[in-house]
Amino acid sequence: MSKPVALIAGAGSGLSASLARLFAREGYRIALAARDVGKLAPLAVETGASVHACDVSNAASVEELFAGIEGPLRVVVAHPSARVRGPVAELDPEDVRQALMVTAYGSFLIGQEAARIMLEQEPDNGVRGTILFTGASAGVKGYPQSAPFAMGKFAQRGLAQSMSRELHPKGIHVAWINIDGGIRNPGRTEPADKPDSMLDPDAIAQTYLALVRQDRSAWSAEIAVRPWVETF
């Protein structure tokens, strides 16, 4: 039987890179998708991943992405996210629309295509696949001068809730992960007097893997990860 596939949509050098490395070590064949695929070359070489150009806000592009993936699709991680900051009275409506097209509509397109494929797959120990949406604290509370991001993440969270209620009984695990804090991505450092005040992307990746491994008798639909010093 061919190796199971883990697709990471909206891949980059931070959390998605940690996820790619971890799932590759766990025996998955990795597929990386992004609008700018040039930045993915080193990670693809490291993990043996296939690389796919995709505009997640375009239905035809997302459909082409999934059509190009071979093998049993067991894990899909949806990272679509776009930010537009500024006072609500001064935001450019077109910029806001584009941000929502990526974060909200892009998440829907990825989730829809993943569900279509997984519903047709034979279950593995009763599970057809896992769809994980990367959320943020903005999906729980809206922050000032960040209305478009809150709108997108609230929509993504609602999508995940709806999909989980619909698809869990059909053997597809859907969950939304609230990344409640700054991630220690490449180029970002913590203050010397505040160790571990940012989330380690490798540690977050372990939480994603734990969700994939969860027994279906106790599936999580939402989970929050935050640094030990984060206020909430």
Side-chain angles (χ1 to χ4, degrees), residues 37-107:
V37 296
K39 63 183 179 182
L40 299 177
L43 181 61
V45 171
E46 179 184 352
T47 61
S50 60
V51 176
H52 309 262
C54 180
D55 176 0
V56 297
S57 66
N58 182 283
S61 182
V62 173
E63 184 177 355
E64 182 180 355
L65 164 65
F66 279 84
I69 295 175
E70 299 179 359
L73 183 62
R74 295 300 180 185
V75 178
V76 171
V77 179
H79 278 321
S81 184
R83 294 174 183 259
V84 178
R85 293 189 59 83
V88 68
E90 300 175 13
L91 290 170
D92 184 322
E94 179 58 23
D95 290 343
V96 175
R97 188 186 74 83
Q98 290 292 340
L100 292 175
M101 287 293 289
V102 172
T103 308
Y105 186 57
S107 292

Side-chain angles (χ1 to χ4, degrees), residues 2-227:
S2 59
K3 295 173 66 174
V5 177
L7 166 64
I8 302 169
S13 61
L15 172 58
S16 51
S18 292
L19 288 165
R21 297 183 186 107
L22 177 59
F23 279 101
R25 291 196 299 270
E26 291 295 320
Y28 288 83
R29 188 158 50 85
I30 308 301
L32 303 172
R35 184 190 295 268
D36 177 12
V37 296
K39 63 183 179 182
L40 299 177
L43 181 61
V45 171
E46 179 184 352
T47 61
S50 60
V51 176
H52 309 262
C54 180
D55 176 0
V56 297
S57 66
N58 182 283
S61 182
V62 173
E63 184 177 355
E64 182 180 355
L65 164 65
F66 279 84
I69 295 175
E70 299 179 359
L73 183 62
R74 295 300 180 185
V75 178
V76 171
V77 179
H79 278 321
S81 184
R83 294 174 183 259
V84 178
R85 293 189 59 83
V88 68
E90 300 175 13
L91 290 170
D92 184 322
E94 179 58 23
D95 290 343
V96 175
R97 188 186 74 83
Q98 290 292 340
L100 292 175
M101 287 293 289
V102 172
T103 308
Y105 186 57
S107 292
F108 163 75
L109 292 176
I110 294 294
Q112 182 185 54
E113 287 297 322
R116 284 174 171 168
I117 290 176
M118 290 178 180
L119 285 169
E120 296 298 321
Q121 293 183 156
E122 288 298 320
D124 181 8
N125 292 321
V127 181
R128 299 181 189 276
T130 304
I131 305 170
L132 302 175
F133 292 95
T134 299
S137 47
V140 177
K141 52 186 176 182
Y143 292 89
Q145 299 197 21
S146 190
F149 192 53
M151 293 162 66
K153 285 301 179 182
F154 265 84
Q156 183 192 60
R157 184 185 182 197
L159 168 70
Q161 288 183 358
S162 179
M163 288 180 61
S164 65
R165 287 178 168 86
E166 177 184 342
L167 297 176
H168 280 192
K170 298 179 180 180
I172 299 175
H173 187 189
V174 181
W176 184 78
I177 300 93
N178 174 8
I179 310 296
D180 193 8
I183 301 177
R184 192 192 302 148
N185 285 332
R188 300 182 70 183
T189 58
E190 301 162 324
D193 61 341
K194 295 182 178 179
D196 291 333
S197 58
M198 301 180 75
L199 293 110
D200 184 334
D202 290 341
I204 302 173
Q206 289 290 341
T207 297
Y208 282 64
L209 179 61
L211 287 167
V212 172
R213 290 176 169 174
Q214 275 187 332
D215 188 271
R216 64 178 179 172
S217 69
W219 272 349
S220 297
E222 289 191 2
I223 190 170
V225 292
R226 58 175 60 92

